[in-house]
């Protein structure tokens, strides 16, 4: 009986975490779509300015703590609330397992219009490495992205 209870709890936990990830992924898509709508209404410069604000102070604060960021098609960070990241080229900077995930993020949006990229990244909430997935979409000449931890 004890083994059955533990197995049931583990199954429920897996189902709930899967549902939570699906909800988080849906939110990431909503963030990127909101940025795309903002871009269409306000243009590139205003969009970049908003993406450089902290999530809870931007036009997209309803999605905080999720936030969007943007690359150009040359793998350069052009907008992020951590402004020290802007202006750097990330094409050849891998995650801890060697995956060129930023290149994949940009390429999926350029090649397919939008897509998901999985990789490993330090989760600021836990301070530990964790699996992350990022949704990216080509918006004008920007690649707008939003990621969530698995």
């Amino acid at each position: 009986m004890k083994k059955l209870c533990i197995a049931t709890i583990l199954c429920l936990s897996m189902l709930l975490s899967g549902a939570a990830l699906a909800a988080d992924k849906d939110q990431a898509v909503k963030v990127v779509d909101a940025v795309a709508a903002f871009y269409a209404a306000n243009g590139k410069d205003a969009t970049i300015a908003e993406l450089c604000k902290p999530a809870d102070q931007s036009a997209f604060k309803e999605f905080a703590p999720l936030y969007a960021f943007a690359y150009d098609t040359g793998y350069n960070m052009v907008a992020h609330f951590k402004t020290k990241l802007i202006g750097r080229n990330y094409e050849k900077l891998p995650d801890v397992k060697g995956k060129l995930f930023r290149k994949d993020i940009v390429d999926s949006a350029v090649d397919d219009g939008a897509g998901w990229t999985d990789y490993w990244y330090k989760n600021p909430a836990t301070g530990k490495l964790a699996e992350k997935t990022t949704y990216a979409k080509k918006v004008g000449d920007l690649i707008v992205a939003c990621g969530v931890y698995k």
Side-chain angles (χ1 to χ4, degrees):
M1 182 68 157
K2 188 175 183 178
K3 287 182 182 180
L4 180 61
C5 288
I6 292 171
T8 302
I9 290 169
L10 288 173
C11 286
L12 285 173
S13 175
M14 289 172 54
L15 286 171
L16 291 174
S17 66
L21 178 60
D24 289 345
K25 287 177 77 174
D26 289 346
Q27 281 296 103
V29 172
K30 287 178 183 177
V31 172
V32 171
D33 287 346
V35 174
F38 187 92
Y39 183 103
N42 299 285
K44 179 180 177 178
D45 292 340
T47 301
I48 288 172
E50 285 303 312
L51 295 178
C52 290
K53 294 177 183 177
D56 62 349
Q57 297 172 22
S58 76
F60 317 107
K61 62 186 168 193
E62 70 186 272
F63 301 105
L66 294 182
Y67 61 90
F69 52 95
Y71 296 99
D72 64 19
T73 57
Y75 313 98
N76 300 297
M77 180 72 69
V78 296
H80 198 290
F81 80 92
K82 292 181 182 176
T83 55
K84 67 182 180 184
L85 301 176
I86 297 171
R88 295 173 59 188
N89 184 282
Y90 289 93
E91 179 180 13
K92 296 182 180 176
L93 186 62
D95 71 1
V96 297
K97 295 193 176 201
K99 182 174 185 173
L100 297 174
F101 68 95
R102 294 171 181 99
K103 182 178 182 332
D104 288 354
I105 288 169
V106 172
D107 290 349
S108 71
V110 170
D111 296 344
D112 302 322
W116 289 95
T117 300
D118 297 330
Y119 55 98
W120 288 85
Y121 207 78
K122 185 177 179 181
N123 184 331
T126 65
K128 296 179 181 179
L129 284 174
E131 287 183 276
K132 189 171 185 178
T133 189
T134 291
Y135 177 72
K137 181 176 184 177
K138 190 163 189 305
V139 178
D141 61 350
L142 297 177
I143 306 306
V144 176
C146 180
V148 294
Y149 288 92
K150 292 185 170 188

Coordinates of all heavy atoms in Angstrom, one line a residue, residues 4 8 25 28 36 39 86 107 109:
L4 N 2.2 1.9 -3.4 CA 1.2 2.4 -4.3 C 1.0 3.9 -4.0 O 0.9 4.7 -5.0 CB -0.1 1.6 -4.1 CG -1.3 2.1 -4.9 CD1 -0.9 1.9 -6.4 CD2 -2.5 1.3 -4.6
T8 N 1.7 6.8 -6.7 CA 0.6 7.7 -7.1 C 1.0 9.2 -6.9 O 0.8 10.0 -7.8 CB -0.7 7.5 -6.2 OG1 -1.1 6.1 -6.4 CG2 -1.8 8.4 -6.6
K25 N 5.0 27.7 -20.8 CA 5.3 27.8 -22.3 C 4.2 28.6 -23.0 O 4.6 29.5 -23.8 CB 5.4 26.4 -22.9 CG 6.7 25.7 -22.5 CD 6.8 24.3 -23.1 CE 7.2 24.4 -24.6 NZ 7.4 23.0 -25.2
A28 N 5.0 32.2 -22.2 CA 6.2 32.7 -23.0 C 5.8 33.1 -24.4 O 6.2 34.1 -24.9 CB 7.3 31.6 -23.0
A36 N 5.4 41.4 -30.3 CA 5.1 41.6 -31.7 C 4.0 42.6 -32.0 O 4.1 43.4 -32.9 CB 4.8 40.2 -32.3
Y39 N 5.4 46.0 -31.3 CA 6.3 46.4 -32.4 C 5.5 46.9 -33.6 O 5.8 47.9 -34.2 CB 7.1 45.2 -32.8 CG 8.1 45.4 -33.9 CD1 9.5 45.5 -33.6 CD2 7.8 45.5 -35.3 CE1 10.4 45.7 -34.6 CE2 8.7 45.7 -36.3 CZ 10.0 45.8 -35.9 OH 11.0 46.0 -36.9
I86 N 23.7 43.8 -23.8 CA 23.4 44.3 -25.1 C 24.7 44.7 -25.9 O 25.7 45.1 -25.3 CB 22.6 45.6 -25.0 CG1 21.2 45.2 -24.3 CG2 22.4 46.3 -26.3 CD1 20.4 46.4 -23.9
D107 N 18.4 31.1 -35.3 CA 18.2 30.3 -36.5 C 16.7 29.8 -36.6 O 16.2 29.8 -37.7 CB 19.2 29.2 -36.6 CG 20.6 29.7 -36.9 OD1 20.8 30.9 -37.2 OD2 21.5 28.9 -36.8
A109 N 14.0 31.1 -35.5 CA 13.1 32.1 -35.8 C 13.3 32.6 -37.3 O 12.4 32.9 -38.0 CB 13.3 33.3 -34.9

